[in-house]
Amino acid sequence: MTFQELKPKVTEITLNTTLLRDEKLLTICKLLSDSISYYNWVGFYFMNDEKQMLELGAFAGEKTDHIVIPYGTGICGQVAVSGKMLLVKDVSKEDNYLACSLATKAEIVVPIYKGEVLVGQIDIDSHKRNPFTKHDEDFLKQICDWIANVL
């Protein structure tokens, strides 16, 4: 399924008034994981500034031990500190990488802002090296904007 085909489906999920927030997030994770062949793990992490930790929300893919991630640790933790998207083409070349799965070869993390406040992020792992393009970045940024309205 193309990004253009997915956009109205994601919009429909975010606007669905019969689903609770976490149900919407889980449905989006499953949709992305099922629809894009190289999205092998899709999840949302949310900021806990008091504890300086990211906390795992909805996800689709293998279970992970990383249900909390300290700010600054791993790719997600780096995004929590910088507030900027991070695309890693080959995770084996990263010194500060937390492996959720030995099969993961690449990762993209896009921050979610509610207004000016960083509230979370979407994290996508791939079993392929360098699969993500500018189209993934643009698509995921748009999803994060829609998700911000759900939060």
Side-chain angles (χ1 to χ4, degrees):
M1 193 173 297
T2 68
F3 294 130
Q4 289 300 74
E5 293 169 321
L6 284 170
K7 285 179 184 180
K9 294 181 182 299
V10 174
T11 301
E12 182 181 323
I13 294 165
T14 61
L15 297 175
N16 186 327
T17 57
T18 63
L19 293 175
L20 299 173
R21 179 194 88 150
D22 289 345
E23 292 172 317
K24 291 178 184 186
L25 296 174
L26 181 58
T27 303
I28 290 169
C29 288
K30 288 179 179 178
L31 175 67
L32 297 181
S33 180
D34 292 345
S35 301
I36 302 173
S37 65
Y38 55 93
Y39 283 18
N40 302 110
W41 192 93
V42 178
F44 291 98
Y45 282 96
F46 294 99
M47 313 296 287
N48 183 330
D49 290 332
E50 186 176 306
K51 293 181 180 179
Q52 295 289 290
M53 298 279 225
L54 289 164
E55 297 175 343
L56 181 61
F59 70 93
E62 292 181 32
K63 289 192 183 250
T64 178
D65 291 335
H66 302 291
I67 56 173
V68 293
I69 298 174
Y71 288 3
T73 302
I75 308 306
C76 292
Q78 291 176 64
V79 171
V81 172
S82 73
K84 296 180 181 170
M85 188 213 60
L86 187 53
L87 186 155
V88 178
K89 296 176 182 182
D90 182 352
V91 297
S92 70
K93 297 185 182 199
E94 286 294 310
D95 292 332
N96 187 5
Y97 174 68
L98 288 176
C100 288
S101 165
L102 296 177
T104 299
K105 305 289 186 234
E107 183 171 5
I108 185 170
V109 180
V110 180
I112 302 170
Y113 281 90
K114 185 130 179 112
E116 300 294 314
V117 179
L118 179 60
V119 295
Q121 52 192 232
I122 189 169
D123 177 21
I124 314 281
D125 292 352
S126 179
H127 295 168
K128 294 182 178 183
R129 278 188 182 77
N130 196 20
F132 305 113
T133 69
K134 178 80 167 112
H135 297 293
D136 293 277
E137 292 177 34
D138 294 342
F139 174 67
L140 293 170
K141 285 177 185 175
Q142 189 164 35
I143 285 180
C144 288
D145 289 344
W146 292 332
I147 295 301
N149 293 322
V150 169
L151 302 176

